[in-house]
Amino acid sequence: MEIGIDSFIATGAYNDGLRPEENMMAMEALLSKIAFADQAGLHVFGLGEHHRKEFLDESPAVILAAAAARTQHIRLTSAVTVLSAADPVRVFQEYATLDIISKGRAEIVAGRGSFIDSFPLFGFNTQDYDALFEEKIKLLLEIRDNETITWKGKFRPELKQQAIYPRPVQEQLPVWIGVGGTPQSFIRAGVLGLPLMVAVIGGETHRFRPLIDLYYEAGEKQDMRGRSLK
């Protein structure tokens, strides 16, 4: 069993506006918590991503890199990377760099996101909410598994025999799927053969059991057919 913490970083700026000194104090408090979690022997620390006034976790990879310099053993992960509104090439580069800084302790938890703030910010249509994630998770896995790729999709310029660097310390950078309560998300994770991170944002935990069963059933069926992404 592994025990860890997923966290956000609040600015304290709900009513008073953005104050630099508050932001610095909040960031220092978070980094100190991650260092303490490492010293206490916890296995993983995950940091969320938001794009709104009351949070400071718009760039999780940067914050986790700062945490890597203060820690020795704890694994550092996004929780989640809103991949639908991001460029998989840049996401891979950022977390491969984090993996180098942390000497092989980086992970990615990719998800569609429970907030849509990043969609208008980066020029994406919320009507493409699921299609964006479907395409981008496949591209991220292609980049993870191959140093040079040729790829063409709908939402990003194509890549022709493009080498992508840096490469991580770990032979294969761990990628998880972060899900809420949508059955199709559980099934997708099973089909892709990726580990599952379940966000229990509300409700009783037992209601997720049928969804987790869907995940395992989808994985078993895909194994029988053979996986095309491995």
Side-chain angles (χ1 to χ4, degrees):
M1 177 183 293
E2 293 188 347
I3 299 175
I5 295 173
D6 284 347
S7 182
F8 304 142
I9 174 170
T11 64
Y14 291 90
N15 300 310
D16 298 331
L18 298 175
R19 296 179 179 177
E21 61 272 20
E22 289 182 348
N23 290 347
M24 290 188 290
M25 290 174 62
M27 188 67 71
E28 178 59 33
L30 175 72
L31 294 173
S32 296
K33 289 175 183 177
I34 300 174
F36 182 77
D38 182 53
Q39 294 166 9
L42 295 187
H43 299 94
V44 62
F45 197 102
L47 186 62
E49 176 187 341
H50 299 87
H51 298 271
R52 48 177 57 196
K53 180 179 180 180
E54 60 265 30
F55 294 101
L56 280 175
D57 47 25
E58 287 81 1
S59 299
V62 175
I63 300 170
L64 293 173
R70 300 192 184 196
T71 57
Q72 297 293 324
H73 306 290
I74 197 166
R75 297 187 67 80
L76 302 167
T77 183
S78 59
V80 301
T81 293
V82 185
L83 191 61
S84 301
D87 181 357
V89 174
R90 290 298 290 157
V91 169
F92 178 83
Q93 290 177 324
E94 289 170 355
Y95 282 86
T97 301
L98 173 62
D99 204 51
I100 294 169
I101 294 170
S102 66
K103 300 180 175 64
R105 293 184 282 131
E107 297 184 359
I108 300 171
V109 178
R112 299 185 302 174
S114 57
F115 295 98
I116 60 171
D117 305 77
S118 56
F119 283 76
L121 181 62
F122 297 113
F124 294 103
N125 194 325
T126 54
Q127 293 181 349
D128 298 321
Y129 184 72
D130 191 67
L132 281 161
F133 185 78
E134 180 77 20
E135 177 176 298
K136 291 185 177 188
I137 188 63
K138 291 179 180 178
L139 175 55
L140 179 62
L141 295 176
E142 185 76 14
I143 296 167
R144 179 191 70 170
D145 296 339
N146 300 279
E147 185 173 324
T148 302
I149 69 168
T150 295
W151 178 90
K152 186 175 183 180
K154 178 180 178 182
F155 299 106
R156 190 199 186 283
E158 64 181 300
L159 300 165
K160 296 181 179 179
Q161 284 298 300
Q162 181 65 57
I164 297 173
Y165 303 108
R167 307 308 294 182
V169 173
Q170 298 175 83
E171 183 175 352
Q172 188 178 70
L173 189 65
V175 176
W176 297 60
I177 295 283
V179 299
T182 305
Q184 186 56 41
S185 296
F186 285 80
I187 293 171
R188 178 190 288 121
V191 170
L192 293 174
L194 296 176
L196 187 70
M197 185 74 68
V198 182
V200 183
I201 299 173
E204 298 179 346
T205 56
H206 66 81
R207 73 181 182 89
F208 288 89
R209 178 55 192 266
L211 297 173
I212 293 172
D213 289 341
L214 286 177
Y215 164 73
Y216 283 115
E217 290 168 7
E220 290 170 359
K221 290 178 181 178
Q222 188 65 20
D223 282 336
M224 284 185 245
R225 292 194 296 265
R227 297 187 186 277
S228 60
L229 292 175
K230 291 291 186 180

